[in-house]
Amino acid sequence: PIYAGGKYNSMARSSRLTREAALASYQALVANTLLEVRTAYSDVLLAVEQIVVQEASKKLLERELETARRSLEAGTVPKFNVLRAEVELANALPPLIRARNQERIFRNTLALLLGCDIPAESGVDIPLRTADSLKAEPFDVSVGAALNAAWVRRPEIKVAQSASQLRHEEVLQTRADLLPAVSGTAGYGVQNRNFVRDIDRTLDGWTVGVQANWMLFDFGQTQAKVNMARAREERARLEVEDVRRRIELEVRTAFSLFTESKEVLVSQTRVIEQADEAVRLVTARADAGSSTQLEVLSAQTALKLSRTQYSQALRDYTVARAKLERAMGEGVRLVIETGRR
């Protein structure tokens, strides 16, 4: 081709844009998978913490039951106190059983997301152990900084922009059909002369040709295709703006959830300290005979609830941070560099 109205250059650019869009889509898939894994891992850690909380509550109730039995033997409390302590201990077993089962389910979910092959002989408890515990690592970012990071790093914006540029190249390629196309050929050939037995007597030489084509009139078909391509380009441009607005909403929502989880975590940290102190004081009063069993059980129940909510708050904080980082486009830059190499 000598001249085709820029059609072939536009096709080459379209191929590069298609590759860039595919890489950006791959990066978005990796980012979503990372978020799912982080969430599932946090769920496993939460289940482990819930087991610890339930076992600690069970030990407190066992200690209370033992105290009630000693007091009954000493004749200082009625048998009702022992029965109440036994009932409370029995009621603490189902939550512990459910917490252990929930932990097994979460481990299986995490193994699935990690692509692990679970051995058939492993039984119910799969050989997958976590090396961390729930903890709130500090993370400070403003809404403006989060939005700016999202504009630069989110692969979904790159996918939409590539699609818009592809539609623009489609307009150029379609409009090129309205222009003339010029092509040239050149070659060198050798052949024997006809009706001659001597193979050394040959004809050889260059062949050069030029051809020009121009569709002067096609009842407006090509122009209609150009108009359709322009409409698709305008639609793709609007989709880029829509993607930006949706990402902005996602960032603002994730930021609000992260702020909420951080505030809840701070409040629960204070509550659990107060609940621990309340159990210590009421237990000391009970040992001195100035506190009732109901007060002891109520304080232990409040402590269990505080620990449960604190563990849930830690999990919510971790997941909210992971979602905010995903909304900001964190965690996919290495994938981008690997893809380009």
Side-chain angles (χ1 to χ4, degrees):
I2 298 176
Y3 175 76
K7 183 175 184 178
Y8 295 107
N9 289 333
S10 177
M11 292 173 64
R13 291 193 297 269
S14 297
S15 298
R16 289 192 292 269
L17 288 171
T18 301
R19 179 179 182 274
E20 291 177 1
L23 286 175
S25 298
Y26 169 73
Q27 294 154 16
L29 178 62
V30 170
N32 292 332
T33 304
L34 289 175
L35 177 59
E36 291 181 3
V37 171
R38 293 180 68 177
T39 303
Y41 190 78
S42 298
D43 289 338
V44 174
L45 297 181
L46 172 62
V48 173
E49 290 292 333
Q50 295 289 9
I51 292 176
V52 173
V53 170
Q54 297 297 337
E55 289 180 344
S57 176
K58 177 174 171 289
K59 290 180 180 179
L60 285 175
L61 292 173
E62 288 175 347
R63 191 182 308 163
E64 178 61 24
L65 176 58
E66 183 181 353
T67 302
R69 286 174 177 173
R70 289 199 304 265
S71 300
L72 177 62
E73 293 176 357
T76 58
V77 298
K79 187 176 181 182
F80 173 78
N81 287 29
V82 177
L83 293 176
R84 184 179 180 87
E86 290 176 348
V87 171
E88 292 292 337
L89 178 59
N91 290 335
L93 293 179
L96 176 59
I97 296 172
R98 295 191 187 97
R100 289 172 177 170
N101 181 62
Q102 196 73 12
E103 189 251 358
R104 287 193 293 266
I105 293 175
F106 285 148
R107 288 189 188 277
N108 280 273
T109 302
L110 178 60
L112 174 64
L113 291 175
L114 294 176
C116 299
D117 294 327
I118 302 175
E121 63 275 7
S122 62
V124 179
D125 296 322
I126 63 175
L128 179 64
R129 298 292 177 263
T130 54
D132 299 318
S133 60
L134 283 175
K135 54 185 177 181
E137 298 180 355
F139 182 72
D140 295 324
V141 65
S142 63
V143 178
L147 288 173
N148 292 333
W151 301 149
V152 176
R153 299 172 183 171
R154 284 296 292 267
E156 291 85 355
I157 296 179
K158 181 62 178 178
V159 173
Q161 290 174 343
S162 297
S164 178
Q165 294 173 3
L166 280 171
R167 298 290 80 80
H168 177 69
E169 297 298 335
E170 182 181 347
V171 172
L172 298 180
Q173 295 169 24
T174 308
R175 193 171 56 188
D177 293 335
L178 295 173
L179 302 175
V182 181
S183 60
T185 59
Y188 185 84
V190 178
Q191 70 175 59
N192 286 93
R193 293 179 178 272
N194 295 330
F195 311 110
V196 176
R197 294 186 177 184
D198 188 0
I199 62 176
D200 293 332
R201 300 177 62 184
T202 61
L203 292 175
D204 60 277
W206 288 93
T207 302
V208 180
V210 178
Q211 182 179 359
N213 295 319
W214 194 359
M215 178 65 70
L216 298 178
F217 183 71
D218 61 352
F219 298 93
Q221 180 179 3
T222 303
Q223 185 61 45
K225 292 180 179 179
V226 172
N227 295 336
M228 290 177 58
R230 286 174 176 170
R232 287 192 289 266
E233 180 186 12
E234 179 63 18
R235 177 182 176 181
R237 185 186 65 80
L238 295 176
E239 287 179 351
V240 172
E241 297 177 359
D242 183 63
V243 168
R244 284 182 173 272
R245 285 191 292 268
R246 286 190 282 110
I247 288 178
E248 180 178 356
L249 175 61
E250 183 180 347
V251 171
R252 292 185 180 276
T253 302
F255 185 84
S256 298
L257 291 175
F258 176 72
T259 303
E260 174 190 347
S261 64
K262 183 163 58 174
E263 293 175 353
V264 170
L265 181 61
V266 172
S267 65
Q268 288 301 313
T269 303
R270 298 172 182 171
V271 169
I272 198 171
E273 294 175 355
Q274 295 171 351
D276 276 325
E277 181 65 14
V279 170
R280 188 187 67 80
L281 292 176
V282 77
T283 302
R285 289 175 55 194
D287 294 339
S290 60
S291 178
T292 64
Q293 183 189 37
L294 179 59
E295 293 175 339
V296 175
L297 294 176
S298 298
Q300 292 175 354
T301 303
L303 177 60
K304 173 185 175 182
L305 179 61
S306 299
R307 288 175 175 173
T308 302
Q309 292 180 347
Y310 178 72
S311 300
Q312 185 67 46
L314 279 174
R315 182 265 179 193
D316 293 342
Y317 176 88
T318 305
V319 173
R321 176 180 175 177
K323 289 182 178 180
L324 178 57
E325 291 177 345
R326 169 66 182 98
M328 294 170 54
E330 293 284 350
V332 295
R333 285 174 290 175
L334 292 178
V335 178
I336 295 175
E337 295 173 1
T338 303
R340 288 178 179 175
R341 285 198 294 270

